[in-house]
Amino acid sequence: MLPSIRRLSIFSISSFQSPISLRKLIIMDSSSSSLVDKSSQKLFALAQQLRLYKPPPPSPFGDDDEADADFEEQKLEERVGKVVSQLGFQESVTPVSVVQKERFKPKRAAVLICLFEGVDGELRVILTKRSSKLSTHSGEVALPGGKAEEGDASDADTATREAKEEIGLDPSLVNVVTCLEPFLSKHLLRVIPVIGILSNKKEFNPTPNVSEVEAVFDVPLEMFLKDENRKSEEREWMGEKYLIHMFNYEMDDKKYLIWGLTAGILIRAASVVYQRPPAFLEQNPKFKLPKVVDKNTTMS
């Protein structure tokens, strides 16, 4: 007997491990509109799918890569506390992930990929536009997030804490379902994308921190798989060519440019959620790290 079942949200129920038990609970609580609503069912299925996600293994070294990985231990520092970068790639496509961990200790950060269902049934993700008054990355689009702090128990704690500080998103409204593989920013900051689901968008009333955030908006996640309103630029680092992707989006007569690390993370997130690759060439680089990595080392 579960007398309190009607007070549980669909994502509170999802913490139970047995899929059979989940189905029984849904049937038992058939009088609850939140459980039979098609929107809730779609988000519930997405949460179950993402909980099964496993990041890809790191790419192995070649002989030359092993020599290049013999770099001195350095303390790496990002220039700014927030996670905004012109460049960023999955750590699994770099040699960093297979270097001895005690010899590579980048600072850690997390960003929140907060998904909800739009009025037309599409999945949308919440983004921010940084204040134009900031001294670094002013006016650029970013996911809510920032560096890990001593009191954070997990990457999810970091991402949801930062989201609350930046845009007033109550962590209790977000159901964290998985983390993607780490990304490395331009300055070799290790960024963990945390995927969370906002089951009731109406409960979220954005209250941006005006010292950091100029605007809070949302875009369809699937746009990061389409070859529309997109352009790319070819760059080179240590002889390896790669592409930086840029997406244009317009909402309420306002134009936004989503690119760099944020675009790279969202391309990956969309690929995982929709279980298909983008309709364009990503062209991630086959990185070789320099022998000496310090706070001035950048992927540019």
Side-chain angles (χ1 to χ4, degrees):
M1 181 70 177
L2 295 173
S4 62
I5 187 65
R6 287 192 174 89
R7 293 194 297 272
L8 293 175
S9 70
I10 193 166
F11 295 112
S12 298
I13 291 174
S14 67
S15 63
F16 289 86
Q17 295 183 351
S18 170
I20 296 176
S21 297
L22 286 170
R23 287 194 292 270
K24 287 181 178 179
L25 287 172
I26 292 175
I27 293 171
M28 288 171 60
D29 195 36
S30 59
S31 60
S32 172
S33 60
S34 64
L35 294 177
V36 298
D37 180 77
K38 290 183 179 180
S39 173
S40 296
Q41 290 179 358
K42 181 177 179 179
L43 293 177
F44 174 73
L46 176 63
Q48 293 300 92
Q49 169 199 321
L50 292 177
R51 284 196 178 91
L52 300 176
Y53 172 74
K54 294 182 179 180
S59 301
F61 278 125
D63 293 338
D64 293 339
D65 294 327
E66 290 180 4
D68 286 333
D70 187 22
F71 55 80
E72 300 175 4
E73 180 178 353
Q74 299 287 342
K75 184 178 180 181
L76 305 179
E77 295 184 351
E78 181 70 87
R79 295 178 185 175
V80 294
K82 299 303 176 183
V83 186
V84 184
S85 178
Q86 298 173 352
L87 176 61
F89 295 98
Q90 298 103 296
E91 194 170 297
S92 59
V93 303
T94 76
V96 170
S97 53
V98 287
V99 174
Q100 295 179 6
K101 292 183 179 179
E102 66 272 15
R103 303 187 64 197
F104 182 73
K105 300 178 180 179
K107 288 187 176 294
R108 196 174 185 93
V111 293
L112 180 63
I113 303 172
C114 187
L115 303 178
F116 67 94
E117 194 164 10
V119 293
D120 296 323
E122 78 283 12
L123 286 175
R124 303 184 71 86
V125 58
I126 296 173
L127 294 171
T128 69
K129 181 179 180 181
R130 286 168 59 82
S131 171
S132 57
K133 297 180 180 179
L134 292 173
S135 58
T136 57
H137 303 289
S138 59
E140 291 191 11
V141 171
L143 288 157
K147 287 183 181 179
E149 295 185 356
E150 188 174 347
D152 296 336
S154 65
D155 296 316
D157 281 355
T158 299
T160 54
R161 172 184 54 76
E162 288 283 347
K164 183 177 182 180
E165 293 176 3
E166 291 181 21
I167 62 176
L169 177 57
D170 189 335
S172 67
L173 298 178
V174 181
N175 177 44
V176 173
V177 290
T178 195
C179 294
L180 302 181
E181 61 268 33
F183 277 62
L184 288 176
S185 75
K186 178 179 179 179
H187 297 279
L188 303 185
L189 179 72
R190 178 174 284 149
V191 182
I192 313 299
V194 176
I195 298 183
I197 295 177
L198 180 63
S199 59
N200 190 346
K201 176 64 163 54
K202 294 180 180 179
E203 293 183 358
F204 171 46
N205 181 29
T207 53
N209 180 341
V210 293
S211 65
E212 298 181 15
V213 177
E214 184 174 300
V216 180
F217 66 104
D218 52 81
V219 302
L221 180 65
E222 195 174 14
M223 68 175 277
F224 298 101
L225 296 180
K226 298 178 179 180
D227 197 11
E228 302 171 5
N229 300 314
R230 183 195 69 88
K231 61 181 180 180
S232 61
E233 289 184 6
E234 188 175 72
R235 302 281 179 91
E236 185 174 322
W237 192 61
M238 295 187 67
E240 294 290 343
K241 293 182 179 180
Y242 58 90
L243 293 177
I244 291 182
H245 300 279
M246 306 175 184
F247 296 85
N248 291 295
Y249 185 73
E250 186 171 349
M251 181 180 186
D252 299 331
D253 296 325
K254 295 180 180 179
K255 296 181 179 180
Y256 300 97
L257 177 64
I258 307 160
W259 71 299
L261 174 63
T262 300
I265 289 175
L266 290 173
I267 291 171
R268 181 60 187 158
S271 298
V272 170
V273 168
Y274 289 100
Q275 300 182 314
R276 70 175 192 267
F280 50 84
L281 178 66
E282 285 188 82
Q283 194 174 331
N284 288 327
K286 297 179 180 178
F287 281 121
K288 294 181 180 181
L289 290 181
K291 291 177 183 263
V292 177
V293 179
D294 58 27
K295 66 182 181 179
N296 296 315
T297 302
T298 64
M299 294 189 290
S300 61

